[in-house]
Amino acid sequence: MKHPRTAPKHHKPAQSILLEKADSITPQKKSPTYKVPNKSLLHGTGHLTKNFFQYFAHWVRIANRARLMRRRAKQGRMAAPLPTQTMSQDLPLHKNARINPTEIGLNTSQTPEISIIVPAYGKADLTLRCLASLYLAAPDVPYEVIVVEDASGEPDADRVGLVPGVRFINNEQNLGFLRSCNAAAKMARGQYLLLLNNDTQVLPDTVEALRRTFDSHPQAGLVGSKLVYPDGRLQEAGGIVWSDGSARNHGRFDNRLAPEYNYLRETDYISGASIMVDAKLWRQLGGFDEQFCPAYYEDTDLAMQVRQAGRQVIYQPASTTIHFEGISNGTDTGSGIKRFQDINAVKFFEKWREVLQRDHYPNTDASIFPASDRARHRPIVLVTNDMVVQPDVDAGSRAIAQSMEALLAMGCIVKFWPENPFEFNQYAEDLREQGIEVIAGLRRPRFKDWIAAHGCHIDHAILHRPAQTAVFLPLVRQYAPQAQVIYYGHDLHYLRMQAQARLHGDAKTEASAAKFHDIESKLWKDVDIAVYFSQEEVDTVRAQCPGADARAVQAYCFDEVVIPRSATQSNQIIFVAGFGHPPNVDAAIWLAKNIMPKVWVQEPHVKLCLVGSKPTVEVQALASHQVEVTGWVSEEKLSELYAASRVAVVPLRFGAGVKHKVVEAMSSGVPLVTTSVGAQGLPGLENASAVADDENILAHHIVTLLRSDEAWMSLVERAAAYIHGNFSRSSLQHQMLGLFHVQDD
């Protein structure tokens, strides 16, 4: 029977399911914490550990530090580390709370997508608190809950069966943990099985995050949660299995918020307290191997079986489960069921001896860093940049993001270090969800300390931006001498600045160009490979520095190219750019003040739409009844604007490198009008777009495309063919693979 929800998701009153009100749980030894009142009241209380003025002053200091970091990033200086602090973890329900089982009312389904299996051996209050946390977390996917009581004989064990929506199974005889799980799995109806210990409490999004991982990583066979102690310390961020068969809970007792524990990754195993398995794969493997009865090492063995079947074992930090470790079986390995931990360790090693010695690291502290990523046969790549990439804000970010995606697809382990430590809202989390360790935030070490500790494991270092590379390169060379160093120049900064200086007669910019030329020319000599996005720039580098290994690599890739069936009937012209970049500001002003007036003479109803982040005061001043300045727009909105536009214009007068805005417009099914600067680094573009530098000719091309459907369709089709031939995802991966020294294990 389904129990109606009376409150929105994640805002259910915990008091309604408690016979005793819960208190907040915080660490015994507190570091300074700053907690706002918890209005969701998952456990009934919220508090501030400092008074309001101290709390406000703390965040003023953080804001001031943010401004300092931005200034340092622009200057190419190293960012000093911010102070760290250990954050407490609030429990959904107090560890001693008394639960009224009839008030939980799980909203389970008769056609579940997920079957949540909770094995229990007595301790009904413990199991009820686990189920109550599921009620409070309210999974968004259809689910069922199967609780297996393993004939404990405790008089109140049947109380769990009073929870509405639970399938309660009371074993007639004791089967042990492993066989109870196997038996329950045979009764499960879901596509996925979530094995959840009864001594756990789940937090919001715990279940959904595990389920999402199977969609984002189709090769996943087993996905597990981050396990946290009730006091907020980390219990496990995935597990390491050593070559001798022993195991390690990665990160045990450490800060659960540290960067190294908060990105999705493959792992050796995940403790079975909270793991989700593809049900079809589970049945194919036969579930837990019963030679490990009654318990211990069955979850580690299952992970090995999943990999042997060609699937992945993935740690998902977005799923957090609080685990009251040791409550069920204690911690003494010399007595009771716990003694099977040592017995089964021997069985496990004998079963997997060959695989362990081939694929796993020896049990040493020095091996923890690579072993946590299963790097035995995979290269570790360090990527640096000035800040966390924002692919929907600037073209450079998009190029870096797509190159890191290519690295992941090639099987690389990616460590991303932005010089500016701030995470910029969701951008860092998006990278972590892909499987990239983003070493940012308040809890990261200094770069020198990090590279000194881990540099010996780095196979390749890809350094972006000249000013930042000049800072990072000496430290990489010192602490990772074996690493191949690849410098991504993106474009020749000094050439772009020289062109800007000439156009505007700016002596200051001319001096900056000379400074950047010195930086860039030194980097060409000091790195192993210098990468640019056009052969033009590569030829320039080779001419100035004959000994440099300079190579051209594709800048961007597009999974989809739009080809409309007929010409778009619209009077809108679009220019998309990030207006924090001087060439784009100049282009917008030239377009609005010099080119468009010539278009409006012939087509007075045409509207110009200037789209992009960080519009300057000069760009905003262009807004009128004929010119719209949108500012930043989402990817979805940008697609809508392209679809509603008749012509895309990229009227750059100076710049360098391949421009994302040029190829993006061509991939979006809109004919392109651009300049020779816009076409730079794109050989043959004149056959797929209209290219001119004279404002009168540019206006003529725009008017022609506004009036002629035939010319419009012809250009769109040629542009689509150009993108297909030059900007595929597979070609980017192939080119990046060609940069790496081929290394066997």
PDB file of all heavy atoms in Angstrom, residues 369-401:
ATOM      1  N   PHE A 369      48.243   6.713  -3.954  1.00  0.00           N
ATOM      2  CA  PHE A 369      47.785   7.682  -4.952  1.00  0.00           C
ATOM      3  C   PHE A 369      47.400   7.010  -6.265  1.00  0.00           C
ATOM      4  O   PHE A 369      46.272   7.179  -6.747  1.00  0.00           O
ATOM      5  CB  PHE A 369      48.865   8.739  -5.168  1.00  0.00           C
ATOM      6  CG  PHE A 369      48.542   9.770  -6.211  1.00  0.00           C
ATOM      7  CD1 PHE A 369      47.688  10.831  -5.930  1.00  0.00           C
ATOM      8  CD2 PHE A 369      49.084   9.690  -7.478  1.00  0.00           C
ATOM      9  CE1 PHE A 369      47.385  11.789  -6.888  1.00  0.00           C
ATOM     10  CE2 PHE A 369      48.799  10.635  -8.450  1.00  0.00           C
ATOM     11  CZ  PHE A 369      47.954  11.689  -8.148  1.00  0.00           C
ATOM     12  N   PRO A 370      48.267   6.210  -6.899  1.00  0.00           N
ATOM     13  CA  PRO A 370      47.844   5.578  -8.157  1.00  0.00           C
ATOM     14  C   PRO A 370      46.831   4.456  -7.958  1.00  0.00           C
ATOM     15  O   PRO A 370      45.953   4.245  -8.797  1.00  0.00           O
ATOM     16  CB  PRO A 370      49.150   5.054  -8.749  1.00  0.00           C
ATOM     17  CG  PRO A 370      50.053   4.846  -7.584  1.00  0.00           C
ATOM     18  CD  PRO A 370      49.693   5.917  -6.601  1.00  0.00           C
ATOM     19  N   ALA A 371      46.945   3.728  -6.840  1.00  0.00           N
ATOM     20  CA  ALA A 371      46.037   2.602  -6.620  1.00  0.00           C
ATOM     21  C   ALA A 371      44.597   3.055  -6.444  1.00  0.00           C
ATOM     22  O   ALA A 371      43.659   2.357  -6.844  1.00  0.00           O
ATOM     23  CB  ALA A 371      46.482   1.807  -5.395  1.00  0.00           C
ATOM     24  N   SER A 372      44.394   4.230  -5.860  1.00  0.00           N
ATOM     25  CA  SER A 372      43.021   4.717  -5.645  1.00  0.00           C
ATOM     26  C   SER A 372      42.310   4.978  -6.958  1.00  0.00           C
ATOM     27  O   SER A 372      41.074   5.022  -7.009  1.00  0.00           O
ATOM     28  CB  SER A 372      43.041   5.984  -4.793  1.00  0.00           C
ATOM     29  OG  SER A 372      43.682   7.047  -5.482  1.00  0.00           O
ATOM     30  N   ASP A 373      43.072   5.165  -8.044  1.00  0.00           N
ATOM     31  CA  ASP A 373      42.492   5.383  -9.373  1.00  0.00           C
ATOM     32  C   ASP A 373      42.602   4.157 -10.282  1.00  0.00           C
ATOM     33  O   ASP A 373      42.309   4.254 -11.470  1.00  0.00           O
ATOM     34  CB  ASP A 373      43.208   6.552 -10.064  1.00  0.00           C
ATOM     35  CG  ASP A 373      42.688   7.906  -9.624  1.00  0.00           C
ATOM     36  OD1 ASP A 373      41.492   8.163  -9.827  1.00  0.00           O
ATOM     37  OD2 ASP A 373      43.467   8.694  -9.080  1.00  0.00           O
ATOM     38  N   ARG A 374      43.064   3.053  -9.759  1.00  0.00           N
ATOM     39  CA  ARG A 374      43.316   1.868 -10.596  1.00  0.00           C
ATOM     40  C   ARG A 374      44.190   2.245 -11.794  1.00  0.00           C
ATOM     41  O   ARG A 374      43.845   2.010 -12.954  1.00  0.00           O
ATOM     42  CB  ARG A 374      42.002   1.234 -11.068  1.00  0.00           C
ATOM     43  CG  ARG A 374      41.268   0.487  -9.966  1.00  0.00           C
ATOM     44  CD  ARG A 374      40.105  -0.333 -10.500  1.00  0.00           C
ATOM     45  NE  ARG A 374      40.491  -1.242 -11.563  1.00  0.00           N
ATOM     46  CZ  ARG A 374      41.108  -2.416 -11.399  1.00  0.00           C
ATOM     47  NH1 ARG A 374      41.406  -2.837 -10.189  1.00  0.00           N
ATOM     48  NH2 ARG A 374      41.409  -3.167 -12.441  1.00  0.00           N
ATOM     49  N   ALA A 375      45.339   2.820 -11.498  1.00  0.00           N
ATOM     50  CA  ALA A 375      46.203   3.361 -12.549  1.00  0.00           C
ATOM     51  C   ALA A 375      47.282   2.379 -13.001  1.00  0.00           C
ATOM     52  O   ALA A 375      48.218   2.778 -13.691  1.00  0.00           O
ATOM     53  CB  ALA A 375      46.870   4.648 -12.047  1.00  0.00           C
ATOM     54  N   ARG A 376      47.151   1.110 -12.624  1.00  0.00           N
ATOM     55  CA  ARG A 376      48.207   0.137 -12.931  1.00  0.00           C
ATOM     56  C   ARG A 376      48.524   0.091 -14.424  1.00  0.00           C
ATOM     57  O   ARG A 376      49.676  -0.081 -14.816  1.00  0.00           O
ATOM     58  CB  ARG A 376      47.765  -1.255 -12.457  1.00  0.00           C
ATOM     59  CG  ARG A 376      48.883  -2.288 -12.445  1.00  0.00           C
ATOM     60  CD  ARG A 376      49.862  -2.023 -11.314  1.00  0.00           C
ATOM     61  NE  ARG A 376      50.876  -3.048 -11.212  1.00  0.00           N
ATOM     62  CZ  ARG A 376      51.994  -3.077 -11.925  1.00  0.00           C
ATOM     63  NH1 ARG A 376      52.247  -2.130 -12.796  1.00  0.00           N
ATOM     64  NH2 ARG A 376      52.879  -4.042 -11.775  1.00  0.00           N
ATOM     65  N   HIS A 377      47.517   0.224 -15.277  1.00  0.00           N
ATOM     66  CA  HIS A 377      47.739   0.149 -16.721  1.00  0.00           C
ATOM     67  C   HIS A 377      47.178   1.381 -17.432  1.00  0.00           C
ATOM     68  O   HIS A 377      46.844   1.318 -18.621  1.00  0.00           O
ATOM     69  CB  HIS A 377      47.083  -1.111 -17.290  1.00  0.00           C
ATOM     70  CG  HIS A 377      47.523  -2.373 -16.617  1.00  0.00           C
ATOM     71  ND1 HIS A 377      48.798  -2.884 -16.737  1.00  0.00           N
ATOM     72  CD2 HIS A 377      46.868  -3.224 -15.782  1.00  0.00           C
ATOM     73  CE1 HIS A 377      48.899  -4.001 -16.033  1.00  0.00           C
ATOM     74  NE2 HIS A 377      47.737  -4.220 -15.431  1.00  0.00           N
ATOM     75  N   ARG A 378      47.068   2.479 -16.706  1.00  0.00           N
ATOM     76  CA  ARG A 378      46.472   3.689 -17.297  1.00  0.00           C
ATOM     77  C   ARG A 378      47.349   4.890 -16.985  1.00  0.00           C
ATOM     78  O   ARG A 378      47.848   5.025 -15.863  1.00  0.00           O
ATOM     79  CB  ARG A 378      45.067   3.920 -16.720  1.00  0.00           C
ATOM     80  CG  ARG A 378      44.098   2.773 -16.962  1.00  0.00           C
ATOM     81  CD  ARG A 378      42.867   2.914 -16.083  1.00  0.00           C
ATOM     82  NE  ARG A 378      42.119   4.106 -16.386  1.00  0.00           N
ATOM     83  CZ  ARG A 378      41.228   4.657 -15.565  1.00  0.00           C
ATOM     84  NH1 ARG A 378      41.019   4.138 -14.362  1.00  0.00           N
ATOM     85  NH2 ARG A 378      40.566   5.730 -15.921  1.00  0.00           N
ATOM     86  N   PRO A 379      47.545   5.798 -17.959  1.00  0.00           N
ATOM     87  CA  PRO A 379      48.368   6.982 -17.696  1.00  0.00           C
ATOM     88  C   PRO A 379      47.639   8.004 -16.831  1.00  0.00           C
ATOM     89  O   PRO A 379      46.423   8.180 -16.939  1.00  0.00           O
ATOM     90  CB  PRO A 379      48.632   7.540 -19.099  1.00  0.00           C
ATOM     91  CG  PRO A 379      47.486   7.055 -19.923  1.00  0.00           C
ATOM     92  CD  PRO A 379      47.097   5.726 -19.360  1.00  0.00           C
ATOM     93  N   ILE A 380      48.389   8.674 -15.971  1.00  0.00           N
ATOM     94  CA  ILE A 380      47.855   9.771 -15.157  1.00  0.00           C
ATOM     95  C   ILE A 380      48.291  11.075 -15.813  1.00  0.00           C
ATOM     96  O   ILE A 380      49.477  11.300 -16.064  1.00  0.00           O
ATOM     97  CB  ILE A 380      48.372   9.698 -13.710  1.00  0.00           C
ATOM     98  CG1 ILE A 380      47.914   8.386 -13.049  1.00  0.00           C
ATOM     99  CG2 ILE A 380      47.876  10.892 -12.900  1.00  0.00           C
ATOM    100  CD1 ILE A 380      48.436   8.189 -11.640  1.00  0.00           C
ATOM    101  N   VAL A 381      47.322  11.939 -16.095  1.00  0.00           N
ATOM    102  CA  VAL A 381      47.575  13.188 -16.808  1.00  0.00           C
ATOM    103  C   VAL A 381      47.205  14.366 -15.910  1.00  0.00           C
ATOM    104  O   VAL A 381      46.070  14.461 -15.441  1.00  0.00           O
ATOM    105  CB  VAL A 381      46.773  13.268 -18.124  1.00  0.00           C
ATOM    106  CG1 VAL A 381      47.121  14.546 -18.883  1.00  0.00           C
ATOM    107  CG2 VAL A 381      47.047  12.044 -18.996  1.00  0.00           C
ATOM    108  N   LEU A 382      48.158  15.233 -15.686  1.00  0.00           N
ATOM    109  CA  LEU A 382      47.904  16.485 -14.971  1.00  0.00           C
ATOM    110  C   LEU A 382      47.558  17.568 -15.981  1.00  0.00           C
ATOM    111  O   LEU A 382      48.282  17.757 -16.961  1.00  0.00           O
ATOM    112  CB  LEU A 382      49.141  16.902 -14.175  1.00  0.00           C
ATOM    113  CG  LEU A 382      49.136  18.328 -13.595  1.00  0.00           C
ATOM    114  CD1 LEU A 382      48.061  18.475 -12.522  1.00  0.00           C
ATOM    115  CD2 LEU A 382      50.513  18.688 -13.039  1.00  0.00           C
ATOM    116  N   VAL A 383      46.451  18.264 -15.766  1.00  0.00           N
ATOM    117  CA  VAL A 383      46.039  19.373 -16.623  1.00  0.00           C
ATOM    118  C   VAL A 383      45.958  20.626 -15.767  1.00  0.00           C
ATOM    119  O   VAL A 383      45.325  20.611 -14.697  1.00  0.00           O
ATOM    120  CB  VAL A 383      44.669  19.100 -17.286  1.00  0.00           C
ATOM    121  CG1 VAL A 383      44.249  20.282 -18.162  1.00  0.00           C
ATOM    122  CG2 VAL A 383      44.722  17.819 -18.117  1.00  0.00           C
ATOM    123  N   THR A 384      46.591  21.714 -16.190  1.00  0.00           N
ATOM    124  CA  THR A 384      46.519  22.968 -15.441  1.00  0.00           C
ATOM    125  C   THR A 384      45.883  24.056 -16.300  1.00  0.00           C
ATOM    126  O   THR A 384      45.919  24.001 -17.530  1.00  0.00           O
ATOM    127  CB  THR A 384      47.911  23.447 -14.988  1.00  0.00           C
ATOM    128  OG1 THR A 384      48.688  23.810 -16.136  1.00  0.00           O
ATOM    129  CG2 THR A 384      48.634  22.378 -14.204  1.00  0.00           C
ATOM    130  N   ASN A 385      45.313  25.029 -15.634  1.00  0.00           N
ATOM    131  CA  ASN A 385      44.690  26.166 -16.309  1.00  0.00           C
ATOM    132  C   ASN A 385      44.651  27.323 -15.322  1.00  0.00           C
ATOM    133  O   ASN A 385      44.987  27.170 -14.144  1.00  0.00           O
ATOM    134  CB  ASN A 385      43.281  25.799 -16.786  1.00  0.00           C
ATOM    135  CG  ASN A 385      42.660  26.862 -17.663  1.00  0.00           C
ATOM    136  OD1 ASN A 385      43.329  27.416 -18.535  1.00  0.00           O
ATOM    137  ND2 ASN A 385      41.397  27.175 -17.443  1.00  0.00           N
ATOM    138  N   ASP A 386      44.206  28.482 -15.783  1.00  0.00           N
ATOM    139  CA  ASP A 386      44.129  29.615 -14.870  1.00  0.00           C
ATOM    140  C   ASP A 386      42.980  29.480 -13.886  1.00  0.00           C
ATOM    141  O   ASP A 386      43.063  29.927 -12.750  1.00  0.00           O
ATOM    142  CB  ASP A 386      44.038  30.944 -15.641  1.00  0.00           C
ATOM    143  CG  ASP A 386      42.831  31.020 -16.549  1.00  0.00           C
ATOM    144  OD1 ASP A 386      42.254  29.959 -16.884  1.00  0.00           O
ATOM    145  OD2 ASP A 386      42.462  32.139 -16.955  1.00  0.00           O
ATOM    146  N   MET A 387      41.877  28.819 -14.292  1.00  0.00           N
ATOM    147  CA  MET A 387      40.738  28.655 -13.397  1.00  0.00           C
ATOM    148  C   MET A 387      39.898  27.466 -13.843  1.00  0.00           C
ATOM    149  O   MET A 387      40.155  26.854 -14.878  1.00  0.00           O
ATOM    150  CB  MET A 387      39.885  29.926 -13.352  1.00  0.00           C
ATOM    151  CG  MET A 387      39.295  30.340 -14.687  1.00  0.00           C
ATOM    152  SD  MET A 387      38.318  31.864 -14.568  1.00  0.00           S
ATOM    153  CE  MET A 387      39.568  33.040 -14.024  1.00  0.00           C
ATOM    154  N   VAL A 388      38.906  27.112 -13.042  1.00  0.00           N
ATOM    155  CA  VAL A 388      37.976  26.042 -13.411  1.00  0.00           C
ATOM    156  C   VAL A 388      37.315  26.414 -14.727  1.00  0.00           C
ATOM    157  O   VAL A 388      36.843  27.545 -14.902  1.00  0.00           O
ATOM    158  CB  VAL A 388      36.913  25.839 -12.313  1.00  0.00           C
ATOM    159  CG1 VAL A 388      35.809  24.911 -12.797  1.00  0.00           C
ATOM    160  CG2 VAL A 388      37.550  25.281 -11.051  1.00  0.00           C
ATOM    161  N   VAL A 389      37.282  25.471 -15.661  1.00  0.00           N
ATOM    162  CA  VAL A 389      36.743  25.782 -16.985  1.00  0.00           C
ATOM    163  C   VAL A 389      35.233  25.981 -16.925  1.00  0.00           C
ATOM    164  O   VAL A 389      34.523  25.312 -16.172  1.00  0.00           O
ATOM    165  CB  VAL A 389      37.089  24.683 -18.004  1.00  0.00           C
ATOM    166  CG1 VAL A 389      38.583  24.656 -18.274  1.00  0.00           C
ATOM    167  CG2 VAL A 389      36.603  23.313 -17.552  1.00  0.00           C
ATOM    168  N   GLN A 390      34.748  26.909 -17.733  1.00  0.00           N
ATOM    169  CA  GLN A 390      33.324  27.230 -17.844  1.00  0.00           C
ATOM    170  C   GLN A 390      32.960  27.156 -19.333  1.00  0.00           C
ATOM    171  O   GLN A 390      32.955  28.164 -20.031  1.00  0.00           O
ATOM    172  CB  GLN A 390      33.057  28.617 -17.272  1.00  0.00           C
ATOM    173  CG  GLN A 390      33.501  28.746 -15.814  1.00  0.00           C
ATOM    174  CD  GLN A 390      33.403  30.163 -15.294  1.00  0.00           C
ATOM    175  OE1 GLN A 390      32.318  30.744 -15.232  1.00  0.00           O
ATOM    176  NE2 GLN A 390      34.539  30.734 -14.909  1.00  0.00           N
ATOM    177  N   PRO A 391      32.679  25.963 -19.837  1.00  0.00           N
ATOM    178  CA  PRO A 391      32.541  25.756 -21.278  1.00  0.00           C
ATOM    179  C   PRO A 391      31.441  26.568 -21.948  1.00  0.00           C
ATOM    180  O   PRO A 391      31.510  26.810 -23.156  1.00  0.00           O
ATOM    181  CB  PRO A 391      32.247  24.256 -21.386  1.00  0.00           C
ATOM    182  CG  PRO A 391      32.740  23.667 -20.115  1.00  0.00           C
ATOM    183  CD  PRO A 391      32.544  24.720 -19.079  1.00  0.00           C
ATOM    184  N   ASP A 392      30.440  26.977 -21.187  1.00  0.00           N
ATOM    185  CA  ASP A 392      29.368  27.769 -21.791  1.00  0.00           C
ATOM    186  C   ASP A 392      29.619  29.268 -21.645  1.00  0.00           C
ATOM    187  O   ASP A 392      28.747  30.077 -21.967  1.00  0.00           O
ATOM    188  CB  ASP A 392      28.015  27.411 -21.173  1.00  0.00           C
ATOM    189  CG  ASP A 392      27.989  27.593 -19.655  1.00  0.00           C
ATOM    190  OD1 ASP A 392      29.070  27.805 -19.062  1.00  0.00           O
ATOM    191  OD2 ASP A 392      26.893  27.522 -19.073  1.00  0.00           O
ATOM    192  N   VAL A 393      30.816  29.643 -21.194  1.00  0.00           N
ATOM    193  CA  VAL A 393      31.144  31.056 -21.012  1.00  0.00           C
ATOM    194  C   VAL A 393      32.216  31.516 -21.984  1.00  0.00           C
ATOM    195  O   VAL A 393      32.110  32.585 -22.581  1.00  0.00           O
ATOM    196  CB  VAL A 393      31.592  31.334 -19.560  1.00  0.00           C
ATOM    197  CG1 VAL A 393      32.104  32.762 -19.403  1.00  0.00           C
ATOM    198  CG2 VAL A 393      30.426  31.091 -18.595  1.00  0.00           C
ATOM    199  N   ASP A 394      33.273  30.702 -22.178  1.00  0.00           N
ATOM    200  CA  ASP A 394      34.340  31.133 -23.081  1.00  0.00           C
ATOM    201  C   ASP A 394      34.856  29.955 -23.894  1.00  0.00           C
ATOM    202  O   ASP A 394      34.796  28.803 -23.464  1.00  0.00           O
ATOM    203  CB  ASP A 394      35.482  31.796 -22.302  1.00  0.00           C
ATOM    204  CG  ASP A 394      36.216  30.826 -21.400  1.00  0.00           C
ATOM    205  OD1 ASP A 394      35.760  30.605 -20.255  1.00  0.00           O
ATOM    206  OD2 ASP A 394      37.238  30.288 -21.835  1.00  0.00           O
ATOM    207  N   ALA A 395      35.380  30.276 -25.079  1.00  0.00           N
ATOM    208  CA  ALA A 395      35.804  29.249 -26.028  1.00  0.00           C
ATOM    209  C   ALA A 395      37.014  28.479 -25.522  1.00  0.00           C
ATOM    210  O   ALA A 395      37.132  27.272 -25.756  1.00  0.00           O
ATOM    211  CB  ALA A 395      36.119  29.898 -27.372  1.00  0.00           C
ATOM    212  N   GLY A 396      37.936  29.153 -24.833  1.00  0.00           N
ATOM    213  CA  GLY A 396      39.097  28.458 -24.291  1.00  0.00           C
ATOM    214  C   GLY A 396      38.691  27.377 -23.318  1.00  0.00           C
ATOM    215  O   GLY A 396      39.242  26.263 -23.328  1.00  0.00           O
ATOM    216  N   SER A 397      37.713  27.683 -22.466  1.00  0.00           N
ATOM    217  CA  SER A 397      37.208  26.689 -21.525  1.00  0.00           C
ATOM    218  C   SER A 397      36.616  25.494 -22.253  1.00  0.00           C
ATOM    219  O   SER A 397      36.803  24.339 -21.857  1.00  0.00           O
ATOM    220  CB  SER A 397      36.139  27.308 -20.616  1.00  0.00           C
ATOM    221  OG  SER A 397      36.706  28.144 -19.636  1.00  0.00           O
ATOM    222  N   ARG A 398      35.886  25.782 -23.319  1.00  0.00           N
ATOM    223  CA  ARG A 398      35.269  24.686 -24.064  1.00  0.00           C
ATOM    224  C   ARG A 398      36.335  23.771 -24.665  1.00  0.00           C
ATOM    225  O   ARG A 398      36.222  22.544 -24.627  1.00  0.00           O
ATOM    226  CB  ARG A 398      34.360  25.224 -25.165  1.00  0.00           C
ATOM    227  CG  ARG A 398      33.592  24.145 -25.917  1.00  0.00           C
ATOM    228  CD  ARG A 398      32.621  24.752 -26.901  1.00  0.00           C
ATOM    229  NE  ARG A 398      31.553  25.452 -26.214  1.00  0.00           N
ATOM    230  CZ  ARG A 398      30.351  24.929 -25.982  1.00  0.00           C
ATOM    231  NH1 ARG A 398      30.094  23.696 -26.357  1.00  0.00           N
ATOM    232  NH2 ARG A 398      29.425  25.625 -25.380  1.00  0.00           N
ATOM    233  N   ALA A 399      37.377  24.366 -25.217  1.00  0.00           N
ATOM    234  CA  ALA A 399      38.452  23.567 -25.807  1.00  0.00           C
ATOM    235  C   ALA A 399      39.121  22.687 -24.753  1.00  0.00           C
ATOM    236  O   ALA A 399      39.393  21.500 -24.993  1.00  0.00           O
ATOM    237  CB  ALA A 399      39.476  24.480 -26.473  1.00  0.00           C
ATOM    238  N   ILE A 400      39.376  23.254 -23.572  1.00  0.00           N
ATOM    239  CA  ILE A 400      40.022  22.479 -22.506  1.00  0.00           C
ATOM    240  C   ILE A 400      39.094  21.374 -22.022  1.00  0.00           C
ATOM    241  O   ILE A 400      39.515  20.227 -21.821  1.00  0.00           O
ATOM    242  CB  ILE A 400      40.423  23.403 -21.347  1.00  0.00           C
ATOM    243  CG1 ILE A 400      41.453  24.432 -21.808  1.00  0.00           C
ATOM    244  CG2 ILE A 400      40.984  22.592 -20.179  1.00  0.00           C
ATOM    245  CD1 ILE A 400      41.731  25.535 -20.804  1.00  0.00           C
ATOM    246  N   ALA A 401      37.822  21.702 -21.831  1.00  0.00           N
ATOM    247  CA  ALA A 401      36.859  20.710 -21.355  1.00  0.00           C
ATOM    248  C   ALA A 401      36.756  19.551 -22.339  1.00  0.00           C
ATOM    249  O   ALA A 401      36.742  18.376 -21.941  1.00  0.00           O
ATOM    250  CB  ALA A 401      35.496  21.358 -21.142  1.00  0.00           C
TER     251      ALA A 401
END
